Amino acid sequence: MALEHIQTAGTKQKIFYDRRAGRQDLNKGDFVWLLNSFRKRGLSPKLHRKQTGPGVILKKMTDVVYGFKMGPKRRPQVVHCDLNPYLGDDPPLWLLLRQPKTTPIAEGASIPSSTTPTPAS
């Protein structure tokens, strides 16, 4: 009898949990915030940022595991479902500041005057 009550209570708890827990459909190239779970000793958690970022998803490994990068000089990370979607209209600033890859200039091609170096005096 007690085992039956435990099983029914467990199924009810699962139903209530599944109602609130939503799967995020994040894909490669989406901008996301990373949940900041670190705490500095001596500082109140109220003063810490709850999330860091935004960053970009590099690879979706499973439904809950993602390859993620925060900035141009930072290493990619593998995170387990600690991401929230970035809802801003503009992409992160570090993506805008990243220099495009240069291609070699073909022989005989003209160089625009704005990119020609000026002699130093």
Side-chain angles (χ1 to χ4, degrees):
M1 177 126 164
L3 184 60
E4 292 174 13
H5 288 292
I6 291 173
Q7 289 174 343
T8 57
T11 56
K12 285 182 182 178
Q13 290 173 2
K14 182 184 179 334
I15 290 169
F16 286 125
Y17 176 80
D18 289 343
R19 283 184 192 167
R20 295 201 55 204
R23 296 262 175 166
Q24 297 178 3
D25 189 26
L26 301 172
N27 298 312
K28 181 180 177 181
D30 288 347
F31 301 120
V32 290
W33 294 99
L34 177 65
L35 180 67
N36 188 7
S37 59
F38 297 108
R39 181 174 177 204
K40 288 186 181 178
R41 188 175 183 166
L43 286 178
S44 171
K46 293 191 289 185
L47 301 176
H48 290 197
R49 290 180 148 184
K50 306 249 186 303
Q51 299 173 344
T52 58
V56 64
I57 293 179
L58 301 176
K59 183 178 181 182
K60 182 175 182 178
M61 297 173 187
T62 65
D63 287 340
V64 293
V65 178
Y66 298 95
F68 171 76
K69 190 168 184 179
M70 289 288 287
K73 295 184 180 180
R74 297 195 53 191
R75 290 186 194 171
Q77 306 174 28
V78 176
V79 293
H80 179 267
C81 205
D82 288 340
L83 303 172
N84 291 327
Y86 176 73
L87 302 176
D89 294 331
D90 300 326
L93 185 61
W94 63 268
L95 277 176
L96 297 175
L97 296 177
R98 185 169 55 174
Q99 297 293 328
K101 292 183 179 178
T102 57
T103 57
I105 299 172
E107 288 185 35
S110 63
I111 301 173
S113 61
S114 62
T115 60
T116 55
T118 57
S121 301

